[in-house]
Amino acid sequence: MEDCVFCRIIRRELPADVVYEDEQVLAFKDINPQAPTHVLVVAKKHLASLDDLPAETDEKLAAGIFSGIQKTAARLGVSGGYKVVTNCGEAAGQVVGHLHFHILAGKKFVP
Ligand code: AMP
Ligand code: ZN
């Protein structure tokens, strides 16, 4: 059983403002928002980063994560106007070592 902060949120051991959930993902508001809408879509399976996603051997998981991102955006009412970011590794600014995707919306972004 993983002890990381996102696994603990998934197990409901820590609180979070959940906006969407399905078999593969849990989506909740970022505690330190960088945009008017800032939600994290977190894989329920503990994977350290995108590098660890078995995209070729577990297509169901990979597809489920992207479906979860789409559905979270729809739930938030931002479909057609949002940015998705995943930080892969410390050098890219990854702080929480559990695969997650930031959904950001509601402001102008510089690429
Ligand atoms: P990253 O740099 O991609 O690893 O981003 C981690 C994100 O998780 C940051 O935007 C944090 O604000 C966010 N975060 C960390 N702990 C929590 C928490 N307990 N609830 C919600 N968001 C969190
Ligand atoms: Zn975890």
Side-chain angles (χ1 to χ4, degrees):
M1 190 184 284
E2 297 287 343
D3 198 30
C4 88
V5 61
F6 289 172
C7 281
R8 295 191 67 201
I9 288 173
I10 290 162
R11 293 198 300 268
R12 304 303 206 268
E13 292 170 7
L14 292 175
D17 195 345
V18 172
V19 297
Y20 176 79
E21 178 170 20
D22 64 22
E23 195 187 331
Q24 308 282 13
V25 303
L26 182 72
F28 50 87
K29 291 186 182 168
D30 196 292
I31 205 168
N32 182 24
Q34 304 299 310
T37 297
H38 188 172
V39 164
L40 303 175
V41 182
V42 178
K44 282 192 171 171
K45 184 182 171 85
H46 180 89
L47 297 162
S49 76
L50 188 57
D51 279 344
D52 283 3
L53 177 68
E56 289 192 10
T57 52
D58 194 344
E59 292 173 11
K60 188 171 176 234
L61 175 61
I65 289 171
F66 278 93
S67 167
I69 293 169
Q70 287 177 339
K71 287 176 176 160
T72 301
R75 178 73 55 86
L76 294 166
V78 299
S79 300
Y82 63 99
K83 184 186 278 288
V84 177
V85 174
T86 192
N87 296 319
C88 189
E90 261 179 61
Q94 185 177 5
V95 174
V96 178
H98 179 132
L99 179 61
H100 59 280
F101 295 81
H102 300 251
I103 291 181
L104 298 146
K107 73 171 193 184
K108 274 211 177 290
F109 295 100
V110 181

